[in-house]
Amino acid sequence: MLPLISFRAIAPGMALAATACLLLLLDLLPTRGRKDHLAVVGLAGVVLSMILSLGLWGSDERAFNGMVRLDGFALFFNLVIGFATGLVLLLSIDYLRRQGMESGEFYILVLFSAVGMTLMAGAGDLIVIFLGLEVMSLSLYVLAGWFEGRLEAGEASMKYFLLGAFASGFFLYGIALIFGATGSTNLDRIAVAVAGGAARDPLLIIGFGLLVAGFGFKISSVPFHMWTADVYQGAPTSVTALIATGSKAAAFAALLRVLLSALRTVQPDWAVLFWGLAVLSMTAGNVVALAQQNIKRMLAYSSIAHAGYILVGVVAGGALGGGGVLFYLLVYTFTTAGAFGVILLLERDGREAVAVSDLAGLATRHPVLALTFSVFLLSLVGIPPTAGFVGKFYLFGAAVRTGYVWLAVIGVVNSAIAAYYYLRLIVFMYMREPEGSPTVLVPSLPAGLALAVALWGVVQLGVLPAPFLDLAQAAVIPLLR
Amino acid sequence: MGSVIAFWILAALVVGSAVGLVVRRNPIHGALFLVVNLGGVAALYLMMHAEFLAAAQVIVYAGAIAVLFVFAIMVLIPGKEETGPDPLRAQRWLAVPLGGFLALEIALVLRSTVFTTSRSPATVPGGVEAVGRLLFTDYLFPFEVTSFLLLAALIGVMALTKRKAS
């Protein structure tokens, strides 16, 4: 019998997919090498997808034989992914032309990866999670090596592809073993089997371990983080922003859904595992970030540390921890996309200004940009009244309330360590004089718009977080039923 | 009992050929190990009565993809730099009698009554119909998403190669 075919349930993803296919056709129009219009149409598609997500708010359905779920959780992540993709499209327009690498396929692949992300967020079956992961990853592998002919770009693309292929292999093998243990790949049916005693099956435990390795790679958690710094450094800066925000959010969405809906009955067992991963990621990420002289590499290790903070919320679980994770991912998307957006506007001696010393004296020549960057950095540290503070407060608060006091303590200590390297950038901007030729700002209207949106997000979520927190917590409820 | 013995033999063959694929330096030998590996997996499918999967495995993987690999290796690696001189030159004359033996074997198999079974191959449990039904009902959505995945891969390849040409 045919399953329930519901285009409603996949409408936000369909909007993105249809826009990507439309861009394929529009790319053929003769426009003398200019591809701005593709980014604008792509952006319209992203906005349409977000409007559809808002319009479907409050639905809770399953479609396609349980393969797809339309619930608050998926819709919340659709919005996060929409913001990430939209900001990246805006940031890329002038940046690509400046680097002489403008091409229609770039915007098309960005949209394809966004489709993969929405699939992961709304998947009710391990197979669909895997397919979404692959759609997202394949596009990102190509995008990471976009600056063809540059050594770091080749390294980034190659490392990301090879390690990513390994991670996909682990993930798929994990799915096969879980299928062997429970007789299904559907999350609901796995939940029934686990509650019915399959939890002690070694097949399930090994399969779940392999699944965690696959997820750990995508969220760049220690010890699956080896690719992160090189890929973040070698990829075009706007793509780095997409990898850091969208792909991380999508992987966390799928991970949280598997943990909370399929394996909720054995939470104490997996909480121990993620406790270890969270501590390792926070500590290793922050300590290594201290030594970095390249801003993109520094933010890469910072992103590993942030994966650790978010895992604190995963360990806490429930509506509180899960809501904290969702809220933090929204905050992190604005903050990180903004931080990479600032870096991408800076040039020194005709090359990208990505060294920490390039920031010297920025505040005297470009006070507004320096202030904007400072806000993003303070949000990454977690200083009030920025969004990062509220996000961390709720993550660690959830850990304390569920009894993981030491985890919260380690998290707070780590935030203090992290303050050093973020504040160092601010010190360079405000208190150092540049040596040699100064760093120049390359003005760009779309990128300015993107920075304005990101800044709005950081301030809004920091000053008036309550409605968004309520949304985030309400979004987790469908998983807990 | 017989199937257990067969399983262990096949499993050893599959794992052994996978190890061989990884450790051999000669890419052609690696490709041949891959063919053995894929064939062994197809036999494992057969043991689980997944006839259609086994046939698809042989035709698509052991057939088309492995041949493609060998072609790519032959084209990309010029001369004998990688493979070295043929160490088994003396065995070449064996090819003629062995080829004749294989032809005889195939003729014998074709003459036997294997293909005159009364069961329609489509309706057996692991047959085309069962797989097709699943693919277009329960797994309709993943099936469609797979086509989207292939589209993404196609565009990615085009993006990588197009700019190289220009």
Side-chain angles (χ1 to χ4, degrees), chain A residues 1-3 5 10 17 24 64-65 67-68 101 105 108 112 115 119 127-128 131 134-135 138 142 146 148, chain B residues 133 136-143 145-146 148-153 155-160 162-165:
Chain A
M1 204 185 82
L2 268 181
I5 295 175
I10 52 171
L24 272 174
F64 295 97
N65 192 32
M67 296 281 170
V68 182
M101 292 287 180
E105 281 91 358
I108 297 168
F112 266 88
V115 174
L119 280 171
I127 297 287
V128 179
L131 287 171
E134 286 303 290
V135 172
L138 279 179
V142 177
W146 198 255
E148 191 196 332
Chain B
R133 268 190 191 285
F136 288 101
T137 55
D138 289 358
Y139 290 89
L140 178 69
F141 186 70
F143 182 69
V145 173
T146 309
F148 196 73
L149 173 65
L150 289 175
L151 185 61
I155 294 166
V157 169
M158 270 171 38
L160 283 178
K162 190 180 88 174
R163 291 177 305 147
K164 200 157 280 171

Side-chain angles (χ1 to χ4, degrees), chain A residues 325-339:
Chain A
V325 170
L326 264 60
F327 182 77
Y328 202 85
L329 282 166
L330 183 63
V331 170
Y332 186 71
T333 295
F334 284 125
T335 314
T336 306

Side-chain angles (χ1 to χ4, degrees), chain A residues 68-320:
Chain A
V68 182
R69 290 198 194 162
L70 177 72
D71 50 18
F73 188 79
L75 293 172
F76 187 91
F77 272 104
N78 281 347
L79 292 183
V80 175
I81 293 159
F83 274 122
T85 317
L87 291 175
V88 167
L89 284 175
L90 281 172
L91 288 174
S92 301
I93 294 176
D94 286 336
Y95 176 65
L96 285 181
R97 187 173 322 122
R98 218 166 74 217
Q99 304 288 338
M101 292 287 180
E102 195 181 28
S103 165
E105 281 91 358
F106 184 93
Y107 303 115
I108 297 168
L109 285 171
V110 168
L111 282 178
F112 266 88
S113 72
V115 174
M117 293 170 199
T118 35
L119 280 171
M120 287 173 79
D125 194 289
L126 291 174
I127 297 287
V128 179
I129 295 181
F130 176 73
L131 287 171
L133 187 79
E134 286 303 290
V135 172
M136 173 183 91
S137 305
L138 279 179
S139 319
L140 289 177
Y141 298 150
V142 177
L143 289 173
W146 198 255
F147 288 165
E148 191 196 332
R150 298 189 197 173
L151 209 56
E152 324 87 89
E155 185 189 2
S157 191
M158 204 63 196
K159 269 195 180 155
Y160 198 25
F161 173 65
L162 283 179
L163 292 175
F166 269 119
S168 296
F170 280 125
F171 194 87
L172 204 52
Y173 197 37
I175 295 177
L177 292 184
I178 291 176
F179 179 75
T182 63
S184 179
T185 53
N186 184 288
L187 295 182
D188 290 333
R189 269 165 259 166
I190 292 174
V192 173
V194 168
R200 294 281 155 251
D201 190 337
L203 269 188
L204 182 83
I205 296 169
I206 300 173
F208 176 65
L210 292 168
L211 216 58
V212 170
F215 277 126
F217 176 84
K218 285 295 161 202
I219 62 175
S220 61
S221 141
V222 177
F224 314 106
H225 67 289
M226 293 302 180
W227 57 280
T228 315
D230 293 323
V231 173
Y232 277 37
Q233 184 188 3
T237 308
S238 56
V239 174
T240 309
L242 187 63
I243 295 174
T245 58
S247 84
K248 190 174 279 214
F252 263 112
L255 174 65
L256 209 56
R257 198 187 279 276
V258 170
L259 290 178
L260 292 187
S261 67
L263 298 167
R264 187 175 54 242
T265 45
V266 289
Q267 180 172 6
D269 295 327
W270 54 255
V272 178
L273 173 68
F274 286 100
W275 196 96
L277 289 182
V279 171
L280 278 177
S281 304
M282 285 190 287
T283 315
N286 279 325
V287 170
V288 181
L290 289 175
Q292 300 305 317
Q293 295 304 323
N294 179 306
I295 305 174
K296 279 167 89 174
R297 286 186 83 86
M298 200 201 85
L299 286 175
Y301 285 106
S302 136
S303 129
I304 295 171
H306 276 87
Y309 299 141
I310 299 170
L311 282 175
V312 170
V314 173
V315 171
L320 216 54

